[in-house]
Amino acid sequence: MSPVVSRERWRELALEVLRKSGKEVTSPEEALATATYDGVTLAPLYDAADLPAGPGLPPSAGREPGRPWEVRQRHETADPEAVMTDLENGADSLWLAVAPEDLPRVLGGVHLDLISIVLDAGPRTWQAAEALVALAGDRAGALRGCLGADPLGDAARSGAAPDLSGLGRLARLRADRLPGMRAITVDATPYHEAGGSDAEELGCSIATGLAYLRSLTEDGIAAGEAFGLLEFRYAATADQFATIAKLRAARLLWARVAEVCDAPPAQYQHAVTSAAMMTRRDPYTNMLRTTLACFAAGVGGADAVTVRPFDDALGLPDDFSRRIARNTSTLLVEEAHVARTFDPAGGSWYVERRTADLAERAWEWFQEIEEAGGMTAARTLVADRLAATRARRARDLARLRPPIVGVSRYPDPAGRPPARTHTPRPAAEALPRVRHAQDFEDLLDQAGEARPRVFLATLGPAAEHAARLAFARGLFEAGGVETVTGAPGDFAGSGAVVACLCAADRRYAAEAADAAALLRRAGARWIWLAGRDRHDGVDAHLYAGCDVLDVLRTTLSEVTA
């Protein structure tokens, strides 16, 4: 049996390691802690003392213990063949963002009572609901899914004024003809895709859900019935613990609202793998991201999961990418048995603490929105808050915090993504849609096939300059810049106009100024130095934590000048 190690013993060992690295610290907890964009501090170690007090996690609205989540495939075009292929090969739910008049063609050969159907018709939700009722006929009462009304989400996308007046009418249609379906979607993904943090996404979703409840009850719908009309949609990212905590926190938050309204606390959750994390360059790495996100969504308790195809950022998916998307869920359910236990992260000191802290920050943000008059009145407040978080995230991404594999780290500049049919987006959007890789991908596009060149000038033996040489090479390749290596005297024949010195600090002290002068005489327009020390003749520096985007933009500007 392994010996029991106390927290104090861990602190002693951690301090010893930190001090060996040259850091003067008194608290390893402070030295090793990290903070999220919501101000939640993630500690390096958790124990039973970190378990939060309070009620346990509310039950799921759609998943029973041991039952898998719905595999929900999204379709943006009226393609009956693609729909049938999905349903015959693992999908049991359809998310249809097609025109109402296309529904009969898309669903004509589908056994509607064997699957769930989620509509996404925006301002034409009523027409889509009528079309579905007409198509189902006497089977309408057996249908499951959601009619997808989301006027506040539509307004966040389009910039139009939200109109909640039709929710009561839709609720009555649902009660009369489609009792097995929900009527309203609370889509939080617009706030995630606009750069919002997890707490901001959650707070906006709870405020939106409450706005819909108010509208429904004012239209004569009982509170208990109104709660059953809503389903919530959240983004799942490759940060598995953040996603698990977010979905768990969402249920805690909605249970608070339900308690005040004396309604059932369960929240139906639809998790969608994040569009913001998807890359256009090296898109096959997206398979890894979406697998992590799908795993986290399942562990977090999502009732339905949509895995975006790996080529989502390029346009409409093909048969292969749709197959990989639906098989991601199938593999996790059938082979990894992820759905066998509901809330397997429950009881984890770390997950429980992170869930509680995130819920607290989200509730504070929700209260700010309510104090501003609710989700409809607080649109400017929401947009400003998201913009501030988006700017902070952009600064971090520019410094490779975190790096994006295949784009800002280990890119394949010569690689070309597969061709896909482009899917245009509306010109006017109240909230922007951002992808974390976009700025780096724009630079790769700017570099193009010409592959501008930077000369990496090494000083001293390889053992001294190898680490900085590798760092500089990886940094420039993130912008599609080719690198060639040699001694400073080899610069003239390299075909480059930008150089970067790579050496150890003590070597710089003795040789950097002379090497920079030699490079300048040989025609170098701009000289970088890999390191922080200042030396004559060097224009600027690159180092771990520097603004990589600024380095690349400056380099491309000098190369093309």
Side-chain angles (χ1 to χ4, degrees), residues 413-430:
R416 289 294 173 263
R420 294 291 184 266
T421 302
H422 179 61
T423 50
R425 289 173 174 166
E429 291 185 357

Side-chain angles (χ1 to χ4, degrees), residues 156-328:
R157 294 286 197 204
S158 68
D163 181 9
L164 279 61
S165 62
L167 296 181
R169 181 187 180 201
L170 196 67
R172 285 186 283 274
L173 172 68
R174 174 260 183 190
D176 293 340
R177 301 298 307 276
L178 300 162
M181 299 192 75
R182 292 167 294 279
I184 299 167
T185 297
V186 179
D187 189 355
T189 61
Y191 313 106
H192 167 80
E193 292 173 18
S197 67
D198 290 335
E200 288 161 355
E201 182 184 350
L202 288 172
C204 288
S205 76
I206 301 305
T208 300
L210 186 56
Y212 291 158
L213 290 178
R214 288 184 178 129
S215 177
L216 290 168
T217 54
E218 288 170 2
D219 210 4
I221 308 297
E225 180 184 352
F227 268 79
L229 296 175
L230 274 57
E231 74 169 47
F232 289 72
R233 183 177 297 143
Y234 295 108
T237 72
D239 186 337
Q240 60 180 342
F241 287 112
T243 296
I244 292 168
K246 178 166 66 177
L247 295 179
R248 299 177 88 252
R251 289 199 290 279
L252 289 174
L253 293 166
W254 193 238
R256 290 190 191 181
V257 177
E259 182 180 10
V260 173
C261 299
D262 194 25
Q267 181 192 66
Y268 188 95
Q269 292 181 341
H270 173 201
V272 186
T273 58
S274 166
M277 73 177 181
M278 302 294 273
T279 62
R280 180 167 47 82
R281 289 277 182 160
D282 200 0
Y284 301 102
T285 57
N286 291 325
M287 296 183 195
L288 305 177
R289 297 184 181 95
T290 54
T291 299
L292 276 169
C294 183
F295 170 84
V299 172
D303 302 293
V305 178
T306 297
V307 175
R308 293 184 183 276
F310 71 85
D311 51 2
D312 181 75
L314 297 171
L316 295 176
D318 66 2
D319 292 341
F320 174 71
S321 58
R322 282 197 303 269
R323 176 173 178 265
I324 294 297
R326 63 177 180 265
N327 280 356
T328 301

Side-chain angles (χ1 to χ4, degrees), residues 9 27 168 264 271 300 438 485 497 505 540:
R9 179 55 178 157
S27 168
Q438 184 67 60
T485 305
V497 294
D505 288 339

Side-chain angles (χ1 to χ4, degrees), residues 67-86:
R67 292 194 62 183
W69 56 85
E70 291 183 1
V71 179
R72 182 170 293 175
Q73 292 285 92
R74 178 173 171 84
H75 289 267
E76 298 182 31
T77 59
D79 187 343
E81 184 177 349
V83 165
M84 290 304 299
T85 299
D86 280 343

